Amino acid sequence: MDVKIETSWKNRLQGEFDKDYFIRLTEFVREEYRTKRIYPPAYQIFNAFDKCPFDGVKVVIVGQDPYHEPGQANGLCFSVNDGVPFPPSLENIFKEIRQDLGADVPKSGNLERWAKQGVLLLNATLTVQAHRAGSHQHKGWEEFTDSAIYRLSNERENLVFILWGAYAQRKGESIDTNRHLVLKSVHPSPLSAHRGFFGNKHFSKANDYLVAHGKKAIDW
């Protein structure tokens, strides 16, 4: 199957595209886009990969599924389009960055600027039906994104994996902690942020690790 995804990722994930689960997933997703309102726009389904080639990845942040309200999702986890109000979790992420690094809260919640520096903003599920959180879970996306994480864990060295919340931490169980730094805390959601997200200093810890391994820090 010919999937339109960034070349370096295509080369590594090609084996997934011909598996039965991915063929079924593709048929499901095509029908969903044809008959319902689905986010993100179809051309941005693989945006996380397209904006962050395999060999350029330095940090991986794992999310769950795309935002499901109009105009929000752009294929990068936690990210929203320019001009869209910050969802509560993203607002808390920016608060922690300010507390951790002293950086000003940005005017835009579009995290493409992180992706271009090597931050893979990977949702476990890459599509969602409007107003229905989790509606495309257990259709095959999780197997596909597990494969991406596995490839990074086993073929790259000295990456930072950031896992917020129990869901992301379960998804990251296969990461080789001898080769990479794995940072864990509760989710930045308002329901949990005060129980250990604020003050986790994941952004400075990630940068310290990158610099210690000869890589350029992320401008968060």
Side-chain angles (χ1 to χ4, degrees):
M1 180 180 293
D2 184 28
V3 175
K4 291 178 180 169
I5 190 172
E6 191 276 331
T7 304
S8 65
W9 281 107
K10 188 170 190 173
N11 292 339
R12 285 168 177 84
L13 297 174
Q14 186 64 55
E16 300 301 306
F17 302 145
D18 297 320
K19 291 181 178 178
D20 288 344
Y21 88 86
F22 196 87
I23 293 168
R24 289 193 301 270
L25 170 65
T26 300
E27 291 169 352
F28 167 77
V29 169
R30 281 178 178 156
E31 183 64 12
E32 288 285 284
Y33 273 93
R34 192 181 70 80
T35 58
K36 298 169 185 166
R37 182 168 294 177
I38 305 298
Y39 301 124
Y43 74 92
Q44 290 185 320
I45 291 174
F46 296 110
N47 204 24
F49 301 95
D50 294 339
K51 293 291 189 293
C52 193
F54 184 88
D55 292 322
V57 175
K58 296 193 287 188
V59 178
V60 182
I61 299 179
V62 176
Q64 193 157 348
D65 62 350
Y67 296 122
H68 54 271
E69 296 302 326
Q72 291 183 315
N74 60 14
L76 308 175
C77 73
F78 295 106
S79 174
V80 292
N81 290 308
D82 294 331
V84 175
F86 302 161
S89 291
L90 182 58
E91 196 169 330
N92 286 338
I93 288 169
F94 289 147
K95 284 180 182 176
E96 173 58 22
I97 291 172
R98 183 175 60 192
Q99 184 177 321
D100 186 10
L101 300 170
D104 292 334
V105 174
K107 290 184 170 60
S108 173
N110 190 336
L111 303 182
E112 190 174 309
R113 61 187 181 275
W114 292 3
K116 289 178 176 178
Q117 297 178 74
V119 182
L120 181 68
L121 295 159
L122 183 65
N123 276 317
T125 302
L126 301 188
T127 54
V128 70
Q129 189 181 142
H131 318 301
R132 292 190 59 204
S135 50
H136 284 189
Q137 291 178 4
H138 312 302
K139 302 294 184 182
W141 279 131
E142 294 92 342
E143 188 170 344
F144 176 73
T145 51
D146 280 348
S147 177
I149 291 171
Y150 177 85
R151 288 280 187 164
L152 287 166
S153 175
N154 287 278
E155 295 180 24
R156 296 289 311 281
E157 298 275 353
N158 306 133
L159 302 182
V160 181
F161 289 86
I162 297 179
L163 309 175
W164 295 325
Y167 183 93
Q169 288 164 28
R170 285 195 299 273
K171 194 163 181 71
E173 285 175 350
S174 66
I175 296 165
D176 186 346
T177 55
N178 294 315
R179 294 163 69 106
H180 307 286
L181 175 65
V182 178
L183 299 173
K184 300 178 184 179
S185 81
V186 297
H187 195 274
S189 159
L191 299 174
S192 57
H194 291 280
R195 300 202 307 269
F197 177 78
F198 292 129
N200 66 22
K201 297 189 179 298
H202 282 180
F203 302 98
S204 60
K205 288 176 180 176
N207 278 351
D208 289 347
Y209 181 86
L210 292 174
V211 171
H213 290 87
K215 301 179 184 183
K216 187 176 180 181
I218 305 297
D219 180 5
W220 300 105

